[in-house]
């Protein structure tokens, strides 16, 4: 693997992610909010699948290294950054959504349930 900087979380903004919706460039999306927060919310990013953020190293082992991944939490801090860092430590092309679900909504990003 590369140097330790490849393990640090990398951010992507809602503004750069929204235009890729419905295109082959749209990444695989994981919602890593706390399960209670996820269950209480009536929306998520299109195609998103819920996963436990702290177990990203475990579920990340089953992911395709040829794909790009974006994880998000509520605000884009601890959970999203932690999950992205764990996925990157596996050599995956993974990012956290800067500002999380809040930034996505503020940018007018569509949600589904």
């Amino acid at each position: 693997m590369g140097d330790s900087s490849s393990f640090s979380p990398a951010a992507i903004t809602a503004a750069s992610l929204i235009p890729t919706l419905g295109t082959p460039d749209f990444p695989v999306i994981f919602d890593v909010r706390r399960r209670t927060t996820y269950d209480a919310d009536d929306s998520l990013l299109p195609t998103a699948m819920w996963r436990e953020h702290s177990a990203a190293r475990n579920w990340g082992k089953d992911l395709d290294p040829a794909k790009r991944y974006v994880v998000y939490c509520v605000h884009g801090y601890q959970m999203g950054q932690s999950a992205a860092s764990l996925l990157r430590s596996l050599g995956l092309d993974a990012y956290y959504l800067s500002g999380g679900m809040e930034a996505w909504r503020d940018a007018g990003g569509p949600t589904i349930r």
Side-chain angles (χ1 to χ4, degrees):
M1 297 217 173
D3 62 37
S4 63
S5 65
S6 65
F7 302 148
S8 62
I12 188 168
T13 64
S16 64
L17 188 57
I18 290 169
T20 67
L21 273 165
T23 73
D25 292 331
F26 193 66
V28 177
I29 307 289
F30 290 106
D31 185 321
V32 295
R33 294 177 289 176
R34 293 189 196 286
R35 187 64 200 220
T36 53
T37 302
Y38 171 82
D39 288 341
D41 196 346
D42 64 353
S43 59
L44 65 156
L45 271 67
T47 73
M49 299 167 278
W50 183 85
R51 295 289 188 277
E52 175 64 43
H53 78 282
S54 62
R57 186 170 281 137
N58 293 331
W59 52 262
K61 291 175 183 174
D62 296 326
L63 298 178
D64 182 347
K67 294 186 178 181
R68 186 169 64 126
Y69 300 93
V70 172
V71 297
Y72 70 93
C73 57
V74 176
H75 307 290
Y77 297 123
Q78 293 99 347
M79 286 175 274
Q81 290 181 25
S82 171
S85 183
L86 290 170
L87 294 176
R88 291 177 74 79
S89 76
L90 296 171
L92 296 168
D93 189 16
Y95 304 83
Y96 71 93
L97 180 60
S98 180
M101 179 60 116
E102 286 184 343
W104 181 263
R105 285 182 175 134
D106 289 347
T111 60
I112 61 168
R113 188 52 175 176

